[in-house]
Amino acid sequence: MVTHYLKIWWQLGVINFNIQYVASRISTTFLILGKIIRFGFFFFFLVALLTNTKTLAGFSLYQTLLFFMTFNFVDITIQFLLRGIYLARQLVREGQFDSILVKPINPLFRVASHNIDFLDFFTLVPTIIILGIVISRLETPTTFLNLLIYFALVLNGLVVATAIHIIVAAVAVWTQEIEQEIWIYRDLMTMGRFPLEIYSAPVKTVITFIIPVAVMVTFPAKALLGILSTQLVIVSLTIGVLLLAASLKIWSLALKNYTSVSG
Amino acid sequence: MRKYLAVSRITVSNILEYRWNFLIGHLRSIVLLVMLYYLWTAVFSKNNNLFGYGLAQMITYVLLVTIIRAIVLNSRTDNISGEISGGGKFFTYLLQPIGYLRYWFTIDVVYKIIDLAAAIIEVTLLALIVKATLFLQTNPVSIFLFLVSLGLAILLYFFLSALISYVTFWTYQGWGIRFAFVLFLEFSAGAFFPLNVLPATFVNFLKLTPFPYLVFFPINIYLGKANFFDLVFGFSMSALWLAILFLTAKVVWRRGLKIYEAAGG
């Protein structure tokens, strides 16, 4: 079963690679360049800023970079795995979703894998390397337990992000809407570039409980720094499990209520 | 003139037709504004002066960026790429008694006016909610020069954006180039943070490009941070780049038309 889906995922990736890169390699090259520019400017901005200020909301240079790199890792991984979700509405409107439904494959998997981009490796691999360097240079000692909790919470962050994307896909299938709205999630997600401590209480509440950016990005980094309470670790994991369960339920309801809109 | 007024009316109708997208677009800019506001507030909680700015000046910088994004870094000329590369719609403009760039500039002006109004509301609301400490420029000369620099910046960005779209005459893959270009432009224009944050050598290099004159230079004039030399150099570079971009746009347009094949038309 897993091998079967992995094969399909690989095939879809290869097809998309041929469409995206072979057919439009200039655009793709510049797309990667753009992502590197965005990452590079923010990275150097943080380094330049922290070199002058020494701390940001009480966090040192490498601690701040840990938040930034964790954000990048979660964001790029989710983009890599679930970019197809952004095209869900288009698939529905153009009638392609109907053909997906009659195929012997999980429709959610098929929608999510609709736009796999292998070229994300060009940004994901350096991100993982830099993240490793940042962790190795943290001023505070990193225990094995903290590292383990960090990986568990990053994984949980990916689950939360996946759940949000599933809800977005469900709304797209259900209502044939969601065009610009997903970008608000993406923008709110970018608030996780910096430690949660810089924001005011109302903003913290929004990005912890409404769109749980903090759960996805900030809490893992704090766990690695050994400053996340056990209660918040449990709350994070509970939010992950509940949100995933809720998202799958909403997706299932969306499929039940789906009425073909095009052909 | 009447035909451009008609274009304006149609543009207003389009904006009103897609008002949800308009609102969402502005909600997105609020998120960036809030993020930068809190970032700098946190930074200045332990520092009185950084990179030559005080807290009030930095917060004013962040708020002015939102306004400048609405009137400078805001052009519908990105649609030119799509029109050249697909559907043959571009071809129809060539048959109409209308200047192609004038047509797009008219559309831009309408968007800029409406987005400026929305940006002023966003900035005012945020400033009132967070009780932001702002720097208010009272020197009429500085305000006048700030407005002149904004006018130049609007034209600079318009021709830069149009030129990027003209790339589509040679390759139908213009969107990737625009993505990278806009990101580089916004960072090197100072639309995310003041350029003083970056190493001096890099900033000096950037000052030879048109980018800092889109955001960083106008805001520094408003904040009273540009001395006589900065003003002379900045306005000279803006004017020089405007002339270069205007002439390049003309040449590229002519050459592009020669190889345009009206695919899809």
Side-chain angles (χ1 to χ4, degrees), chain A residues 91-103 258-263:
Chain A
L91 288 175
V92 172
R93 286 216 158 175
E94 292 176 359
Q96 290 183 60
F97 190 65
D98 293 358
S99 65
I100 287 174
L101 286 176
V102 295
K103 283 178 183 148
Y258 173 68
T259 51
S260 181
V261 290
S262 182

Side-chain angles (χ1 to χ4, degrees), chain A residues 24-27 30 181 187 200, chain B residues 20 28 38 173 176 180 183:
Chain A
S24 38
R25 65 189 67 179
I26 296 173
S27 255
F30 276 93
E181 292 85 339
D187 289 334
S200 65
Chain B
W20 180 242
R28 293 189 63 193
Y38 282 112
Q173 304 161 36
L183 276 173

